[in-house]
């Protein structure tokens, strides 16, 4: 069987993952790293021409079918590689970030004894993500969806000796499963109403009968609203949206390259990808789309507020991710699928950059993650600082309207304007959330930058001193710079590549994503080539204005007057934000404790007292009789019983066989 | 000569062989061999025990090969019973065997798992010969259940299977084995007495004990709907206990906890499937009106089983009990799918039965691996095993994910198909069952964390050894089966398609 290029893109990382995972003892860490990194490099090399053909050439949608997965009574799914504009974007995003993260991890994980396992997981994740984005039906999408979930589970819990890592891994999986509950029901509903789960057929069927009704138990709605709503529940879980966001910050227990790849650039954007992929459904379902808008906008604002008060450098970036995903969702909710995908695209570069930069800082500071014990890192780590600054500027979307700016400027402003210009449900709410969150984003981003890189180094008083290597790095510099060391080039090179993306990805690709040049989208998402919509001047300048306010706020609080935040710490507002609006506490009480209590009730009262009490134990007295019988069996009579049974069975069979040969049909 | 010609040549060659009888009674013949050897070589000696194990293993492998021959002869595109052997017996009854895709797939499951069970029983030291004899008899009886095409013969195999299992638990079981064996016996026996009465009534009404003829009678003439209700309930009593359904499930955790590892595997993997098989073979096609009537009840019981058992599993302190409760939940999907009466639901239920046979079997074997070393199943005793047993941890992870129903493992297609099928009939039942998707992740991953992850705190675990070659060989086929069924479920679904279609059309033919 000849494997097509498209199939090879998806399968190469799987083969490498299996090879590295199964033979890790035999081949050793170096070969495992080379094979996995090489395989993703190959996938990247094969993906770039495909993406380029959609941007500049005449790339056409095509579906490569491999073999049948399931086909029962019309519920059918085929293992496929679907290539269109949407999946081409994702192929480049996933493979670029994955390849860079593989390279970076060679340096970051250099001292880990389980490197082969780590790289095997990374490549497996890449495979599952590629299977997700190239699916041609909802079931393969679900396969990839769960596959990346497992990879995420395994990588969050990679350091399995840590209880906190194991708990975070399980929390991530279960929270995602809550979302999958909706997703699975969405698949069922889609099949029930439209008789297919294959994308094109499904969208056509939904468009053909837009007024099909669903009703159950007195509840009635349009079927397409139900399907779109249920699918979005899945997206909320995977993309850590409000109510189901709780796993993402905890997921930072995993090694930092994992956070960059899975929990920033790729897996968490799968929900956005899904909503865009199913854009044709959301176009028909204004209420479900409104729900998407409102949840997205709420998340964008909520996560940004929490990000203000976190001290762990990775958690700040994690909440920032959560918030940016919210932007993507409300863009999709108001129908600007192109802006959502564009932000997904640019965000992958600068957020992976920020995470890997944070990892570089953590690596340089000997695994210190608390920003209160950082400061003065710029001097010893100039490259990391420069790259992080580019990432920060891209994240806050810095740019001058009409002139140009960093990557995030193009995509974020497009989202905010789309919300302003939309008449969809929740669009105006989303606009204001988006503008406010932009202010907060700027503030917490600069807060992170200043607390980490500027000022005087603040050593951690609780740190236990374990200098197993490079003691010379700990000679305390006199000028207040941190006792850090710059990371090796194998880690810096990926930062530089991502920084190039954060600088130019917006500028270069905006005409295609936003303007639809060269008929870029080719009907992969609902997109209309219209004349450019005119917005009021204040709307166009609002993002830059709030960004500057946020910047100066951070300058005042963290450079000029660092005493102010310390005085605010401990106040009610800070406590509320620091504890992330107390979601974990409430969920823990309601769901975890609740499940335990109900489980105990069913078990100890239901099964043991009621069912067993009324049933078998009620006649337990006769068990003494059985006890005697069994004792006899044990003392040797067992042969007699089994012999009797055997004679009967064999005699029966022998007769049957001999008679059967003669008289059988 | 190409492959297709070889298969058709083989089919031609085997056409007149009583293959099903051979598959069914090969293990019994093996048991006779062991007993003969036991009689001629009195006294205990270790070499003898080793010989017995080896003979048993060979017999079960030969049985598996024989069943593969039957599989090669079988034509899945034909919905009729195949390889039929029929010999008249007394009182109008007949010794009659035959299989369709459903029966064939369950027979293969049985013959596939039994050699693995024998391998897993290598550590049995007590009365090895009797143990192996009982196991072989049990295999004959289990295969017989799926082959039997006469309802009385079916009943014989169905009930006789209780006895070796009762003895296996009662003699080779754990501390509370007597209580467990008694509970198991009492429950299942009570259920089956009612079924016997119903069988007699059916023969009296329809004038035949031939299962195919009974189904034809039900299709063409039909049992009186009022009578159907009673007959359905009598069969339900037996199958619900066997499966088991809520609220007659409490024997299962006790039986599993006390049973030796291999008996647990057989119990979960095959004996439980007899309940699902019974619903598909008798309840739906023969009492379609009653099945329609009871569908809401069956849906309710299925959903309660899924939710209830999952939540109880979450709280268990004993590894085997936890897996036993998870079995109850997974069987809930089977009844849900069957009583949706749709092709999707029925195909999903059959698939779920086969998949659960492999995954739950493998999970009980996983418990057996550490039980053999530490002689306890208490979850709290363990922790951090991955540091000493990385290979075991990987295998256990795979089957944990299978238990969770991860796409790509065999655990997924059955669950999704049953739910899609149920959704057509009742959105709420599908939604309730779907909750199981969340709960299964909670209990399975928590178990995995407690047993394998973290650090080793119990000093007794400091020297625990990883899986040895024999254990590898035991798990290898199960791993392959789980992944193949997970990635290409169509291979199985196409095989059972015709049988499922027959059941679905019998059921929908009676649409009120």
């Amino acid at each position: 069987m000849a494997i097509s290029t498209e199939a090879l893109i998806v399968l190469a990382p799987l083969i490498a993952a299996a090879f590295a995972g199964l033979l890790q003892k035999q081949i050793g860490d170096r070969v495992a790293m080379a094979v996995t990194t090489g395989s993703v490099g190959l996938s990247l090399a094969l993906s770039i021409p495909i993406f380029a053909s959609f941007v500049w050439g005449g790339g056409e949608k095509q579906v490569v079918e491999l073999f049948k997965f399931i086909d029962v009574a019309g519920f059918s799914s085929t293992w496929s590689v679907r290539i269109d504009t949407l999946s081409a974007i994702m192929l480049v995003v996933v493979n670029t970030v994955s390849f860079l993260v593989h390279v970076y991890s060679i340096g970051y994980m250099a001292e880990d004894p389980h490197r082969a396992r780590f790289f095997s997981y990374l490549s497996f994740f890449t495979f599952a993500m590629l299977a997700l984005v190239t699916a041609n039906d909802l079931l393969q999408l679900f396969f990839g969806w769960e596959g990346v979930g497992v990879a995420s589970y395994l990588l969050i819990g990679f350091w399995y000796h840590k209880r906190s890592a194991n708990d975070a891994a399980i929390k991530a999986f279960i929270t995602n499963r809550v979302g999958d509950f909706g997703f699975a029901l969405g698949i069922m509903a889609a099949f029930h109403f439209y008789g297919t789960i294959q994308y094109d057929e499904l969208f056509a069927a939904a468009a053909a009968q837009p007024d099909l009704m669903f009703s159950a138990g007195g509840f009635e709605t349009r079927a397409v609203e139900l399907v779109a709503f249920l699918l979005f529940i899945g997206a909320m879980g995977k993309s850590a949206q409000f109510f189901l966001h709780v796993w993402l910050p905890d997921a930072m227990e995993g090694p930092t390259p994992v956070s960059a790849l899975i929990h920033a650039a790729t897996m968490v954007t799968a929900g956005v990808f899904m909503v865009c992929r199913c854009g044709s459904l959301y176009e028909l379902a204004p209420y479900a789309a409104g729900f998407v808008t409102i949840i997205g906008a709420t998340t964008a604002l909520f996560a940004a507020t929490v990000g203000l008060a976190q001290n762990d450098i990775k958690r700040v970036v994690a909440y920032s991710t959560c918030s940016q995903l919210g932007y993507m969702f409300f863009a999709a909710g108001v129908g600007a699928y192109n802006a959502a995908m564009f932000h997904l695209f640019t965000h992958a570069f600068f957020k992976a950059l920020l995470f890997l930069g944070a990892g570089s800082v953590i690596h340089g500071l000997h695994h210190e993650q608390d920003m209160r014990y950082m400061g003065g890192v710029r001097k010893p780590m100039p490259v990391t600082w420069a790259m992080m600054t580019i990432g920060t500027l891209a994240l806050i979307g810095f740019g001058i309207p009409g002139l140009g700016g960093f990557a995030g400027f193009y995509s974020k402003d497009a989202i905010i304007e789309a919300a302003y210009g939309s008449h969809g449900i929740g669009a105006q709410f989303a606009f204001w959330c988006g503008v406010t969150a932009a202010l907060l984003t700027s503030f917490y981003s600069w807060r992170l930058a200043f607390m980490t890189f500027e000022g005087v180094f603040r050593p951690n008083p609780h740190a236990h001193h374990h200098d197993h290597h490079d003691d010379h790095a700990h000679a305390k510099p006199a000028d207040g710079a941190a006792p850090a060391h710059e990371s090796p080039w194998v880690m810096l090179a990926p930062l530089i590549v991502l920084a190039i993306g954060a600088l130019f990805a917006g500028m270069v690709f905006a005409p295609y994503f936003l303007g639809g040049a060269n008929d870029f989208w080719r009907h992969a998402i609902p997109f209309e080539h219209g004349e450019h919509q005119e917005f009021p001047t204040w709307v166009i300048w609002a993002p830059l204005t709030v960004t500057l306010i946020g910047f100066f706020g951070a300058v005042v609080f963290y450079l000029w007057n660092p005493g102010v935040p310390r005085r605010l710490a401990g106040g009610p507002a800070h406590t509320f934000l620091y504890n992330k609006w107390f979601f974990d506490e409430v969920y823990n009480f309601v769901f975890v404790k609740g499940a335990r209590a109900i489980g105990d009730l069913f078990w100890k009262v239901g099964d043991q007292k009621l069912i067993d009490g009324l049933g078998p134990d009620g006649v337990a007295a006769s068990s003494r009789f059985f006890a005697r019988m069994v004792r006899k069996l044990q003392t040797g009579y067992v042969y007699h019983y089994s012999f009797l049974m055997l004679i009967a069975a064999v005699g029966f069979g022998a007769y049957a066989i001999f008679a059967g040969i003669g008289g059988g049909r | 000569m190409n492959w297709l010609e070889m298969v058709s040549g083989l089919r031609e060659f085997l056409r007149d062989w009583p293959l099903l009888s051979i598959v069914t009674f090969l293990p019994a013949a093996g048991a006779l061999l062991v007993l003969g050897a036991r009689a001629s070589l009195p006294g205990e000696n270790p070499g003898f025990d080793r010989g017995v194990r080896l003979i048993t293993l060979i017999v079960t492998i030969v049985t598996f090969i024989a069943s593969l021959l039957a599989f090669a002869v079988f034509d899945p595109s034909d919905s009729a019973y195949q390889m039929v052997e029929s010999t008249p017996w007394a009182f109008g009854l007949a010794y009659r065997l035959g299989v369709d895709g459903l029966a064939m797939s369950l027979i293969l499951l049985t013959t596939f798992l039994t050699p693995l069970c024998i391998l897993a029983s290598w550590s049995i030291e007590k009365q090895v010969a009797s143990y192996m004899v009982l196991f072989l008899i049990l295999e004959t009886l289990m295969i017989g259940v799926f082959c039997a095409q006469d309802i009385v013969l079916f009943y014989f195999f169905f009930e006789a299977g209780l006895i070796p299992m009762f003895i296996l638990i009662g003699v080779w079981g754990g501390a509370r084995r007597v209580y467990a064996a008694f509970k198991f016996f009492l429950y299942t026996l009570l259920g089956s007495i009612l079924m016997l009465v119903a069988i007699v009534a059916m023969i009296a009404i329809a004038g035949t004990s031939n299962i195919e003829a009974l189904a034809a009678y039900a299709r063409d003439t039909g049992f009186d709907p009022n009578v159907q209700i009673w007959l359905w309930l009598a069969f339900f009593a037996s199958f619900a206990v066997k499966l088991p359904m809520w609220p007659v499930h409490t024997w299962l955790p006790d039986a599993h906890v006390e049973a030796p590892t291999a008996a647990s595997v057989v119990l979960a993997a095959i004996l439980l499937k007899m309940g699902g098989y019974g619903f598909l073979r008798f309840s739906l096609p023969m009492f379609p009106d009653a099945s329609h009537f009871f569908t809401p009840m069956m849906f309710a019981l299925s959903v309660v089983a899924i939710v209830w058992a999952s939540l109880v599993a979450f709280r268990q302190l004993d590894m085997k009990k936890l897996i036993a409760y998870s079995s109850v939940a997974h069987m809930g999907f089977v009844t849900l799918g069957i009583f949706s009466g749709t092709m999707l639901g029925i195909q999903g239920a059959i698939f779920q039965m086969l998949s659960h046979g492999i995954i739950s079997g493998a999970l009980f074997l996983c418990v057996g691996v550490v039980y053999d070393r530490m002689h306890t199943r208490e979850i709290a005793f363990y922790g951090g095993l991955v540091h000493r047993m990385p290979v075991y941890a990987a295998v256990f992870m795979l089957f944990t994910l299978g238990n969770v129903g991860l796409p790509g493992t065999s655990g997924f297609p059955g669950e999704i198909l049953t739910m899609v099928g149920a959704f057509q009939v009742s959105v709420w039942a599908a939604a309730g069952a779907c909750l199981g998707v969340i709960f299964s992740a909670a209990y399975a991953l928590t178990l995995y964390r407690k047993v394998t992850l973290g650090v080793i705190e119990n000093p007794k675990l400091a020297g625990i050894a990883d899986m040895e070659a024999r254990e590898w060989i035991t798990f290898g086929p199960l791993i392959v089966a789980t992944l193949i069924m997970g990635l290409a479920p169509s291979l199985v679904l196409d095989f059972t398609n015709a049988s499922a279609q027959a059941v679905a059309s019998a059921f929908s033919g009676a649409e009120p």
Side-chain angles (χ1 to χ4, degrees):
Chain A
M1 184 176 73
I3 294 245
S4 65
T5 315
E6 291 80 6
L8 190 61
I9 292 175
V10 178
L11 294 178
L14 174 67
I15 296 164
F19 181 71
L22 294 176
L23 299 177
Q24 47 184 288
K25 282 254 172 56
Q26 286 76 18
I27 60 176
D29 289 348
R30 284 178 164 273
V31 178
M33 292 193 294
V35 169
T36 50
T37 309
S39 76
V40 179
L42 175 68
S43 292
L44 174 61
L46 295 173
S47 304
I48 289 174
I50 293 176
F51 179 67
S53 77
F54 280 93
V55 181
W56 296 290
E60 280 303 324
K61 183 193 124 183
Q62 55 164 326
V63 179
V64 179
E65 298 196 333
L66 299 178
F67 62 93
K68 192 163 74 169
F69 179 31
I70 286 182
D71 183 9
V72 180
F75 186 80
S76 86
S77 167
T78 303
W79 293 114
S80 310
V81 182
R82 177 191 173 111
I83 305 285
D84 61 4
T85 308
L86 211 50
S87 49
I89 296 168
M90 294 305 286
L91 284 180
V92 161
V93 167
V94 172
N95 281 317
T96 304
V97 179
S98 178
F99 176 68
L100 294 174
V101 163
H102 273 78
V103 172
Y104 178 92
S105 300
I106 294 172
Y108 191 83
M109 301 298 280
E111 284 158 38
D112 198 284
H114 297 292
R115 274 178 296 171
R117 183 164 61 92
F118 181 78
F119 277 79
S120 169
Y121 288 173
L122 277 188
S123 286
F124 173 74
F125 165 78
T126 309
F127 155 72
M129 191 69 204
L130 293 172
L132 188 161
V133 300
T134 60
N136 195 36
D137 56 57
L138 290 175
L139 211 63
Q140 187 184 330
L141 177 67
F142 193 69
F143 165 83
W145 195 266
E146 294 272 283
V148 293
V150 164
S152 162
Y153 160 82
L154 291 170
L155 283 163
I156 295 170
F158 179 74
W159 286 313
Y160 48 57
H161 56 274
K162 278 167 74 182
R163 175 67 191 265
S164 55
N166 294 328
D167 285 345
I170 292 180
K171 183 175 178 182
F173 199 90
I174 294 175
T175 313
N176 268 291
R177 274 275 163 139
V178 175
D180 294 347
F181 166 80
F183 191 165
L185 282 172
I187 294 175
M188 294 174 218
F191 178 75
H192 179 65
F193 291 111
Y194 305 117
T196 177
I197 50 170
Q198 199 265 330
Y199 290 146
D200 296 335
E201 291 171 13
L202 174 63
F203 303 151
Q209 30 189 338
D211 293 320
L212 202 61
M213 294 304 285
F214 161 83
S215 72
F219 173 78
E220 199 175 51
T221 180
R222 285 170 59 234
V224 67
E225 294 276 7
L226 179 79
V227 172
F229 173 79
L230 287 171
L231 291 177
F232 178 63
I233 301 290
M236 282 170 69
K238 192 63 67 195
S239 297
Q241 294 300 286
F242 199 60
F243 294 124
L244 295 182
H245 64 278
V246 290
W247 63 273
L248 184 60
D250 289 23
M252 299 300 125
E253 286 285 346
T256 305
V258 173
S259 312
L261 174 60
I262 300 184
H263 305 121
T266 58
M267 181 186 84
V268 290
T269 64
V272 180
F273 167 79
M274 182 230 260
V275 172
C276 291
R277 174 60 90 198
C278 298
S280 309
L281 296 181
Y282 289 91
E283 289 291 284
L284 299 168
Y287 291 100
F291 184 69
V292 175
T293 308
I294 289 167
I295 288 288
T298 309
T299 311
L301 185 59
F302 153 78
T305 64
V306 177
L308 298 175
Q310 301 303 309
N311 293 322
D312 184 310
I313 185 168
K314 285 180 72 181
R315 280 186 183 245
V316 177
V317 188
Y319 276 105
S320 159
T321 304
C322 209
S323 170
Q324 297 300 310
L325 290 166
Y327 276 98
M328 298 175 207
F329 274 112
F330 78 68
V334 301
Y337 305 101
N338 60 332
M341 284 306 294
F342 193 35
H343 199 53
L344 187 162
F345 180 76
T346 59
H347 176 259
F349 291 101
F350 60 72
K351 192 50 66 68
L353 171 58
L354 285 170
F355 257 121
L356 293 183
S360 178
V361 171
I362 293 167
H363 188 259
L365 285 173
H366 309 282
H367 302 287
E368 180 59 75
Q369 294 189 198
D370 194 323
M371 295 192 300
R372 285 171 298 182
Y373 311 122
M374 294 183 180
V377 177
R378 171 161 52 108
K379 195 156 281 173
M381 304 184 76
V383 182
T384 303
W385 168 77
M387 298 306 126
M388 285 280 277
T389 306
I390 294 173
T392 303
L393 287 163
L395 168 63
I396 64 171
F398 181 74
I400 313 285
L403 286 178
F406 290 81
F409 162 73
Y410 295 91
S411 50
K412 191 190 276 185
D413 280 19
I415 288 175
I416 290 174
E417 286 166 10
Y420 179 82
S422 164
H423 303 292
I425 296 165
Q428 294 314 303
F429 170 69
F431 169 74
W432 288 108
C433 283
V435 172
T436 318
L439 191 156
L440 301 177
T441 305
S442 175
F443 182 85
Y444 69 66
S445 298
W446 291 113
R447 171 179 177 264
L448 183 151
F450 297 154
M451 283 181 83
T452 306
F453 292 105
E454 308 302 329
V456 181
F457 177 63
R458 305 171 293 272
N460 185 346
H462 313 296
H464 39 272
H465 221 59
H466 55 102
D467 296 354
H468 45 282
H469 65 107
D470 61 357
D471 269 295
H472 58 276
H474 287 256
K476 199 171 167 69
D479 56 355
H485 56 80
E486 185 58 283
S487 298
W489 280 104
V490 70
M491 289 168 66
L492 295 179
L495 293 187
I496 293 168
V497 176
L498 289 168
I500 294 170
L503 275 168
F504 300 113
M507 215 177 294
V508 174
F509 293 105
Y512 302 96
F513 280 81
L514 300 177
N518 189 29
D519 190 21
F520 176 65
W521 289 107
R522 294 173 177 79
H523 306 291
I525 54 167
F527 176 76
E528 284 162 34
H529 290 272
E531 73 281 18
H532 193 68
Q533 203 178 348
E534 290 300 325
F535 296 103
T537 314
W538 71 270
V539 172
I540 292 171
W541 288 88
L544 178 64
T545 314
V546 296
T547 299
L548 291 174
I549 296 172
F551 171 72
F552 287 115
V555 168
V556 171
F557 277 10
Y558 292 94
L559 288 184
W560 295 349
N561 201 354
V564 176
R566 245 167 271 158
R567 276 198 299 283
L568 285 173
H574 178 265
T575 309
F576 184 65
L577 295 182
Y578 181 74
N579 289 300
K580 309 154 252 176
W581 295 27
F582 294 101
F583 264 100
D584 280 341
E585 286 73 11
V586 172
Y587 281 9
N588 192 39
F589 181 78
V590 175
F591 297 117
V592 180
K593 296 231 169 88
R596 280 190 196 144
I598 297 172
D600 279 341
L601 179 78
F602 284 173
W603 178 28
K604 295 192 171 144
V605 178
D607 276 7
Q608 294 187 343
K609 288 232 166 61
L610 288 176
I611 295 175
D612 278 357
L614 296 173
D617 294 355
V619 279
S622 50
S623 71
R624 276 193 288 279
F625 164 73
F626 276 82
R628 268 204 304 281
M629 207 174 108
V630 172
R631 248 199 314 283
K632 270 191 192 154
L633 286 177
Q634 263 174 276
T635 49
Y637 289 97
V638 65
Y639 290 114
H640 304 185
Y641 288 92
S642 42
F643 194 70
L644 269 177
M645 280 165 53
L646 195 78
I647 293 296
V650 172
F652 202 50
Y655 172 79
I657 289 171
F658 292 120
I661 290 169
R665 190 173 81 180
Chain B
M1 199 155 81
N2 69 25
W3 176 243
L4 274 178
E5 283 170 20
M6 270 175 67
V7 169
S8 65
L10 187 70
R11 277 185 182 167
E12 204 52 51
F13 175 68
L14 293 169
R15 187 165 303 274
D16 293 324
W17 286 46
L19 263 180
L20 293 179
S21 288
I22 292 173
V23 174
T24 308
F25 290 103
L26 256 178
L32 202 63
L33 188 68
V34 172
L35 272 188
R38 182 77 185 79
S40 59
L41 287 173
E44 301 291 326
N45 78 73
F48 174 73
D49 284 354
R50 205 176 317 131
V52 167
R53 289 185 188 115
L54 214 58
I55 289 174
T56 314
L57 182 63
I58 291 168
V59 168
T60 52
I61 290 173
V62 171
T63 310
F64 178 54
I65 294 168
S67 69
L68 286 179
L69 290 178
F71 172 72
V73 173
F74 185 83
D75 175 10
S77 62
D78 184 357
S79 68
Y81 290 105
Q82 300 178 35
M83 289 179 267
V84 174
E85 301 164 27
S86 187
T87 307
W89 195 260
F91 314 113
L93 308 178
Y95 170 81
R96 190 179 151 86
L97 303 184
V99 289
D100 61 351
L102 167 66
M104 192 68 231
S105 58
L106 286 164
I107 290 167
L108 280 172
L109 178 71
T110 310
T111 56
F112 170 70
L113 284 172
T114 311
L116 305 178
C117 286
I118 301 300
L119 269 176
S121 304
W122 231 246
S123 55
I124 295 280
E125 301 285 345
K126 177 173 157 186
Q127 301 188 40
V128 177
S130 327
Y131 179 92
M132 294 297 171
V133 166
L134 283 166
F135 229 96
L136 288 168
I137 295 174
L138 184 60
E139 185 179 13
T140 283
L141 297 173
M142 291 186 300
I143 298 171
V145 167
F146 302 125
C147 283
Q149 277 306 310
D150 183 279
I151 196 166
V152 175
L153 187 64
F154 166 82
Y155 184 78
F156 164 74
F157 284 126
F158 191 85
E159 291 313 315
L162 273 181
I163 299 163
M165 184 49 85
F166 172 72
I167 302 174
L168 280 171
I169 297 174
V171 176
W172 285 270
R176 296 180 72 219
R177 56 181 179 263
V178 174
Y179 170 77
F182 159 69
K183 199 168 172 182
F184 164 73
F185 202 86
L186 189 74
Y187 256 115
T188 35
L189 196 68
L190 283 180
S192 49
I193 287 168
L194 291 170
M195 183 166 78
L196 183 61
V197 176
I199 286 175
V200 172
M202 281 171 75
I203 296 174
I205 297 170
T208 176
S209 62
N210 178 336
I211 290 179
E212 199 171 9
L214 281 169
Y217 175 85
R219 184 177 61 239
D220 302 334
T221 316
F223 292 97
D224 180 78
N226 294 319
V227 179
Q228 274 191 34
I229 299 282
W230 294 105
L231 295 175
W232 190 95
L233 281 171
F235 277 84
F236 168 75
S238 183
F239 299 148
V241 166
K242 205 82 168 190
L243 202 60
M245 294 180 70
W246 187 88
V248 285
H249 63 284
T250 58
W251 63 269
L252 186 71
D254 284 315
H256 269 309
V257 165
E258 302 304 333
T261 299
S264 274
V265 174
V266 167
L267 188 59
I270 300 153
L271 286 184
L272 303 191
K273 306 305 174 298
M274 293 180 184
Y277 177 78
F279 280 128
L280 286 168
R281 181 66 79 224
F282 301 101
S283 303
L284 254 64
M286 296 188 189
F287 321 124
D289 301 301
S291 295
H292 274 290
F293 179 77
F294 286 114
T295 292
M297 179 186 88
M298 293 303 280
F299 268 28
L301 291 181
S302 304
V303 172
V304 171
I306 291 169
V307 173
W308 179 293
S310 299
L311 286 168
V312 174
F314 188 52
R315 299 302 291 155
Q316 296 306 304
L317 312 170
D318 179 299
M319 293 169 81
K320 270 189 163 180
K321 247 188 180 165
L322 192 153
I323 299 168
Y325 272 109
S326 105
S327 284
V328 177
H330 283 101
M331 289 300 102
F333 284 100
V334 172
T335 43
L336 185 76
I338 291 174
F339 281 87
S340 76
T342 59
M343 260 309 271
L344 284 154
I346 291 169
Q347 279 280 56
I350 298 172
F351 196 93
Q352 174 81 349
M353 291 204 285
L354 297 171
S355 157
H356 178 264
I358 289 164
I359 290 175
S360 74
L363 284 171
F364 280 118
L365 289 172
C366 283
V367 178
V369 167
V370 290
Y371 183 80
D372 279 352
R373 287 161 174 70
M374 292 292 140
H375 302 287
T376 176
R377 295 171 310 262
E378 194 192 347
I379 295 169
F381 180 89
Y382 297 98
L385 286 182
V386 64
H387 298 280
R388 296 282 315 165
M389 309 175 74
V391 176
Y392 172 74
V395 172
F396 192 15
M397 182 83 253
L398 176 73
F399 290 111
T400 296
L401 292 174
N403 201 27
V404 166
L406 187 81
T409 69
S410 65
F412 173 68
E415 281 185 15
I416 191 80
L417 286 173
T418 50
M419 288 191 290
V420 173
F423 195 98
Q424 320 273 359
V425 182
S426 163
V427 176
W428 302 116
C434 207
L435 285 173
V437 167
I438 305 172
F439 298 148
S440 68
Y443 65 71
L445 294 180
T446 308
L447 171 69
Y448 187 80
R449 171 180 71 66
K450 286 180 178 166
V451 172
T452 53
L453 303 179
V455 289
I456 293 184
E457 281 167 5
N458 187 340
K460 289 182 186 145
L461 295 173
I464 195 167
D466 206 345
M467 297 208 307
E468 55 186 77
R470 173 180 61 84
E471 289 162 333
W472 250 117
I473 297 167
T474 316
F475 280 105
L478 295 167
I479 294 170
V480 172
T482 306
L483 292 177
I484 289 182
M485 284 175 72
L487 293 169
S490 275
L491 296 176
V492 178
L493 293 166
D494 290 350
F495 190 76
T496 56
N497 188 60
S499 321
Q501 188 68 60
V503 177
S505 54
F507 181 77
S508 63
E511 203 90 53

